[in-house]
Amino acid sequence: MPELPEIRTASQIVNTVCQGRVFTGGVRKSDVSKNVEVDYSAKAYTIRAEARGKEMALTLDNKLSCSAEGSGRNVSRIIFHFGMSGRFQFTTEADVHKHAHLMFRTDETPAHVLSFVDVRRFGTWRPLTESDGEEWSAGRGPDPAFEYAAFRHNVLANLTSSVFNKPICEAMLNQEFFNGIGNYLRCEILFRAAIPPFSKARDVLQAVLAAEDDKPKKAKKSVSSSSSPDLLQLCHDLPHEVLAL
């Protein structure tokens, strides 16, 4: 299952292939997908991707929204969860993958298609409108790698949550607190931190909080202020290591 680094990489790839390209028409869904239709159509729009934890968002920007030719909403946003096998592909129309389930067609000759491909069909998407008043799904915490200060605060300020009654290996899969952390990242993080995986999460994190309280104020501002990073620092560091590979 894709984790934070894979979702971040996917967003970068989408931005690379969409750079300077204009898309046209409606967003097409495959007949077999049980996900919702995306009610969006425009004669000319661009696509921009963002990532946060295990979520990726596409923003569709209608370039003709102020003219009579623009039939789509000015900005539409689609949140993707990749499931087990979700990914994006950019191909010619003739080479669209048979498991492509959401497709965006370019306005060029020959036309190309940006497709959300999902062989196992566990992936989902959810369109957002401006009236929804949200950019990301509710119940998902800050990104450990790119919103580190907010991520760390969200965990340490909520240690009374029942989530932390569980073993640390289970708590680290809770996306409300560890957004983007999955199986391979949690295993490596716990190994490097030398923490037994079935230790009670609250005990592990209270020790992190106690150590933080003992640090000088200047050291607290640093992402990695010691030679032995704690568990939360590793949640920041490991995804960056993977992205640098």
Side-chain angles (χ1 to χ4, degrees):
M1 179 180 290
E3 300 181 25
L4 188 158
E6 291 74 40
I7 305 299
R8 175 70 52 167
T9 299
S11 72
Q12 294 169 342
I13 291 171
V14 168
N15 283 333
T16 297
V17 299
C18 291
Q19 180 71 35
R21 282 192 162 93
V22 175
F23 292 77
T24 189
V27 178
R28 185 161 63 90
K29 183 178 81 71
S30 70
D31 294 334
V32 297
S33 174
K34 294 182 180 179
N35 281 302
V36 299
E37 297 279 354
V38 176
D39 182 18
Y40 185 91
S41 180
K43 187 171 183 180
Y45 66 94
T46 57
I47 293 178
R48 174 172 53 85
E50 299 171 80
R52 183 176 186 257
K54 281 192 178 183
E55 291 189 316
M56 180 172 145
L58 293 186
T59 297
L60 315 183
D61 190 356
N62 183 0
K63 293 305 179 184
L64 300 175
S65 58
C66 296
S67 74
E69 296 180 277
S71 58
R73 292 171 295 187
N74 188 28
V75 176
S76 182
R77 189 174 176 87
I78 309 169
I79 304 295
F80 289 86
H81 297 154
F82 281 41
M84 296 293 291
S85 59
R87 59 193 172 95
F88 277 88
Q89 259 192 0
F90 188 75
T91 64
T92 63
E93 284 190 297
D95 293 327
V96 171
H97 198 287
K98 67 178 181 179
H99 290 290
H101 296 300
L102 200 68
M103 288 150 278
F104 309 82
R105 184 179 181 274
T106 64
D107 186 15
E108 61 185 339
T109 304
H112 287 74
V113 180
L114 177 68
S115 306
F116 180 65
V117 176
D118 188 9
V119 174
R120 300 187 68 181
R121 287 191 235 163
F122 290 123
T124 62
W125 60 78
R126 183 168 64 95
L128 295 177
T129 65
E130 292 181 4
S131 61
D132 290 323
E134 58 178 312
E135 291 192 348
W136 300 100
S137 296
R140 286 186 176 260
D143 185 305
F146 295 91
E147 300 171 313
Y148 176 69
F151 156 72
R152 189 175 183 95
H153 174 78
N154 187 46
V155 173
L156 297 180
N158 290 286
L159 294 184
T160 57
S161 170
S162 61
V163 169
F164 301 118
N165 293 335
K166 299 177 181 180
I168 187 64
C169 62
E170 291 185 31
M172 288 182 70
L173 295 181
N174 186 294
Q175 300 299 291
E176 181 180 355
F177 296 104
F178 293 90
N179 186 11
I181 303 299
N183 283 320
Y184 84 81
L185 284 175
R186 70 166 175 170
C187 291
E188 183 66 18
I189 289 165
L190 290 171
F191 172 75
R192 292 201 192 181
I195 295 172
F198 293 100
S199 302
K200 188 175 180 179
R202 185 174 292 107
D203 294 343
V204 171
L205 294 166
Q206 282 178 335
V208 171
L209 180 61
E212 182 177 270
D213 289 340
D214 289 339
K215 290 180 182 178
K217 289 184 178 179
K218 288 184 179 179
K220 290 181 184 181
K221 295 180 181 179
S222 172
V223 170
S224 295
S225 57
S226 68
S227 57
S228 299
D230 61 35
L231 180 137
L232 297 182
Q233 290 171 338
L234 288 168
C235 289
H236 167 274
D237 296 348
L238 260 293
H240 280 285
E241 285 189 26
V242 177
L243 286 166
L245 292 176

